[in-house]
Amino acid sequence: MITFFDAFISYGRADSKAFATKLNQELVAQGLNIWFDQDDIPLAVDFQEQIKSGIEQAHNFIFIIAPHAVNSKYCLQEINLAVQYHKRIIPILHREQTDRATWQSRNPRQTEAQWQAYQAQGLDSSFTNLHPVIQKINWIYSREQIDDGDHALAGLIEAIAQHQDYVTQHTQFLVQALAWDRNQKQSKFLLTGSDRIEAEQWLKHQFSDEQQPCLPTDLHCEFISESIKNVNNLMTQVFLSAAEEDNEVKEQIGKMLMREGLTIWTNQTDIQTGTAFKQEIERGILRADNFIYLISPETLRSHYCQQEFAFATAHNKRIVPLLIRDTALELIPPELQELQFIDLTPGGDELNYRRGIDKLLKALKSDAYYHESHKLLLVKALKWQHQNRNPSILLRSYNLQHFAAWLKIAQQRSDYPPILLQEEFVTKSLQQPKPSSLEVFISYSRADSDFARKLNDALTEVGKLT
């Protein structure tokens, strides 16, 4: 059973042990569960691992600013971990400076020259070597004999309570994502049912009128995206095609898309060991709504990328070309030149890049339902074809009504129309005798909808659900 904490307190003992101890007691008295090293590190254990777990499982990271904490390598490690996990950080200014007398009392044998060297390195100050992330955050002031301690405590409690549900979910999903990552990203550690739905809603939550309390990490986004992909039988919304030389750009774009809640397929993450490479590539294209082609001189020279583009085009996949590096127009094949490029070449200003990303997201969201249906029907039709047109795989009931209606609309389109196999599959499905009754009725709650969908698909495949 995982224990979660409302906050983790990071401090330097030389300056702030008594202050931190009192703060911990005050927060506990308010009913908060606080991770505090004097209380939460058992004997005979690796204390760094305990601290790491404490930060992972804490909703907020309280950093007590004082010279010793600012210049402590251990506190720096704690801050860096909190930053890595995108924790909400709440800084409290406790002490600005270490004076000469205090330093001398701690170092009775040191000389004036050593004191001056200490000052020259900024070790006597809370500001000289302060972590840049801490510098940018609005602090709570609780300096002894200067600030109102009760007011500071009230401000801290208010900060912890703000957007509490969102921040709590950030921690919960992070802990689950870390468990997935530490277990070789096995699918059994992914989210399912209501947990997966809740995570997807959390990731897409927008803070339009105020600053977001903490951002999802890349691991959050990948974990939730893979959970969505898993429940959709590994089908995705985007296939990313690029030359190996452009893998860094491809990874960057992939992370951005997952941050928007989209599912992606790449050859770096989705080809299992021991499987046929070309077959898996084609499978990934067929099972994706969109084919994003990263245009660069290397991509256009790549035989594999050319094959992927030709395969996507042959199956009338939506092609979204992204120009990621300056490329001579004569290198671009005519069928690709006809499409509208989105310019994401480096060297431009941030505003233009952001506009390009917005265009990409708008393009992917446009007609999303149409392209998802195109994919689903294509996958079903190909399975029917591969199994020698097995009649048990033909469409029935709701699926037949849905895809027959989709086909009527799709046949009127000039862009990304259905292929002949899709049309034949629907036609044959419409021609089959109508069943007199259902063989199976599935009753389920909304929380079990993911499992029910998988069961429905499995029964449909063997021809038992009409």
Side-chain angles (χ1 to χ4, degrees):
M1 186 72 174
I2 297 173
T3 300
F4 291 99
F5 301 91
D6 293 297
F8 177 103
I9 298 179
S10 175
Y11 68 100
R13 293 196 172 200
D15 287 326
S16 306
K17 181 178 178 180
F19 177 84
T21 301
K22 181 183 177 185
L23 178 63
N24 173 57
Q25 293 169 348
E26 290 172 331
L27 293 174
V28 169
Q30 293 291 325
L32 298 176
N33 188 21
I34 305 300
W35 196 99
F36 188 55
D37 61 355
Q38 296 181 43
D39 299 333
D40 293 290
I41 299 183
L43 298 175
V45 298
D46 185 334
F47 77 95
Q48 286 296 340
E49 280 301 312
Q50 292 295 310
I51 288 172
K52 183 180 179 181
S53 296
I55 294 173
E56 290 174 4
Q57 294 160 211
H59 307 319
N60 299 276
F61 180 86
I62 298 172
F63 181 65
I64 299 175
I65 302 174
H68 183 233
V70 167
N71 295 290
S72 163
K73 67 176 183 179
Y74 297 108
C75 289
L76 178 61
Q77 290 174 359
E78 293 170 5
I79 294 171
N80 284 336
L81 195 59
V83 170
Q84 176 186 330
Y85 291 149
H86 293 190
K87 291 290 178 179
R88 175 161 64 183
I89 299 175
I90 307 174
I92 302 176
L93 180 60
H94 169 226
R95 181 171 295 177
E96 297 181 353
Q97 203 82 20
T98 298
D99 58 30
R100 175 74 166 80
T102 301
W103 176 84
Q104 194 68 65
S105 67
R106 295 174 184 169
N107 304 276
R109 297 183 179 180
Q110 304 245 348
T111 65
E112 177 65 24
Q114 289 171 312
W115 163 246
Q116 291 178 4
Y118 186 80
Q119 285 184 302
Q121 297 175 63
L123 301 178
D124 64 325
S125 170
S126 287
F127 310 121
T128 306
N129 301 318
L130 187 61
H131 195 287
V133 170
I134 305 294
Q135 292 178 17
K136 295 188 291 185
I137 302 172
N138 196 21
W139 303 345
I140 294 172
Y141 289 81
S142 189
R143 295 163 295 182
E144 294 170 346
Q145 300 179 342
I146 298 176
D147 302 305
D148 184 337
D150 292 338
H151 180 74
L153 178 63
L156 173 59
I157 293 171
E158 181 182 353
I160 291 173
Q162 192 173 25
H163 302 301
Q164 187 172 5
D165 289 344
Y166 182 87
V167 176
T168 297
Q169 288 176 302
H170 184 285
T171 308
Q172 292 169 342
F173 295 136
L174 173 66
V175 169
Q176 290 172 294
L178 287 167
W180 170 67
D181 188 52
R182 290 165 182 165
N183 284 277
Q184 295 75 50
K185 298 184 176 180
Q186 297 178 63
S187 60
K188 68 179 181 179
F189 290 92
L190 292 170
L191 298 166
T192 59
S194 58
D195 291 338
R196 193 270 305 166
I197 295 170
E198 184 181 353
E200 188 175 356
Q201 292 171 343
W202 174 82
L203 184 61
K204 294 180 179 179
H205 185 83
Q206 297 292 319
F207 290 82
S208 54
D209 299 326
E210 52 191 329
Q211 186 175 354
Q212 195 162 341
C214 49
L215 296 173
T217 64
D218 287 340
L219 182 61
H220 273 109
C221 302
E222 183 186 3
F223 176 60
I224 295 170
S225 176
E226 289 298 313
S227 297
I228 298 169
K229 185 196 301 186
N230 185 58
V231 82
N232 287 310
N233 296 320
L234 304 183
M235 296 189 191
T236 63
Q237 292 160 295
V238 171
F239 180 100
L240 286 172
S241 176
E244 285 189 13
E245 293 85 349
D246 297 318
N247 278 342
E248 185 177 343
V249 178
K250 181 168 73 172
E251 183 179 346
Q252 178 186 351
I253 291 172
K255 287 179 178 179
M256 180 275 298
L257 294 174
M258 287 190 288
R259 189 164 291 276
E260 296 292 329
L262 297 169
T263 52
I264 66 168
W265 194 101
T266 73
N267 60 1
Q268 295 165 292
T269 58
D270 291 275
I271 296 182
Q272 301 298 319
T273 303
T275 57
F277 184 83
K278 184 175 184 294
Q279 182 178 334
E280 287 300 305
I281 290 284
E282 292 179 350
R283 179 181 170 88
I285 295 171
L286 293 171
R287 296 165 70 86
D289 301 346
N290 303 278
F291 181 89
I292 294 184
Y293 198 58
L294 275 57
I295 300 175
S296 71
E298 286 72 23
T299 298
L300 297 177
R301 285 194 292 264
S302 167
H303 176 66
Y304 294 111
C305 291
Q306 291 176 26
Q307 284 185 329
E308 291 170 7
F309 177 75
F311 188 80
T313 303
H315 290 86
N316 288 353
K317 288 291 178 178
R318 175 159 64 178
I319 312 293
V320 184
L322 303 184
L323 186 64
I324 61 169
R325 280 200 278 154
D326 291 334
T327 305
L329 191 61
E330 58 268 20
L331 294 178
I332 302 176
E335 60 270 26
L336 197 52
Q337 289 187 31
E338 294 175 359
L339 301 175
Q340 178 90 30
F341 293 176
I342 296 175
D343 189 355
L344 291 181
T345 52
D349 59 55
E350 181 64 27
L351 181 60
N352 284 336
Y353 182 82
R354 187 64 244 178
R355 285 173 180 162
I357 293 296
D358 289 342
K359 287 180 182 178
L360 171 59
L361 295 174
K362 184 179 179 180
L364 295 176
K365 291 175 182 177
S366 172
D367 275 348
Y369 183 72
Y370 175 86
H371 293 284
E372 181 184 22
S373 296
H374 190 293
K375 168 192 70 181
L376 293 174
L377 181 59
L378 178 61
V379 169
K380 291 176 184 292
L382 285 166
K383 180 180 288 187
W384 174 65
Q385 183 186 54
H386 293 158
Q387 294 192 18
N388 299 316
R389 288 170 164 73
N390 184 344
S392 69
I393 299 176
L394 291 171
L395 299 168
R396 295 174 176 84
S397 189
Y398 167 79
N399 280 337
L400 178 54
Q401 295 172 23
H402 168 74
F403 287 113
W406 177 87
L407 184 61
K408 287 182 181 179
I409 297 172
Q411 288 172 327
Q412 300 172 23
R413 292 180 59 130
S414 58
D415 57 334
Y416 311 111
I419 64 172
L420 291 176
L421 178 63
Q422 290 170 304
E423 295 179 341
E424 182 185 0
F425 181 56
V426 173
T427 300
K428 291 293 184 183
S429 297
L430 288 168
Q431 292 172 351
Q432 67 184 318
K434 293 185 179 180
S436 58
S437 63
L438 293 173
E439 295 183 7
V440 177
F441 180 90
I442 300 176
S443 176
Y444 63 95
S445 69
R446 185 179 295 272
D448 298 321
S449 59
D450 291 338
F451 176 79
R453 187 188 306 172
K454 285 186 176 181
L455 179 60
N456 172 71
D457 291 343
L459 292 174
T460 300
E461 286 182 11
V462 297
K464 293 205 172 181
L465 187 64
T466 58

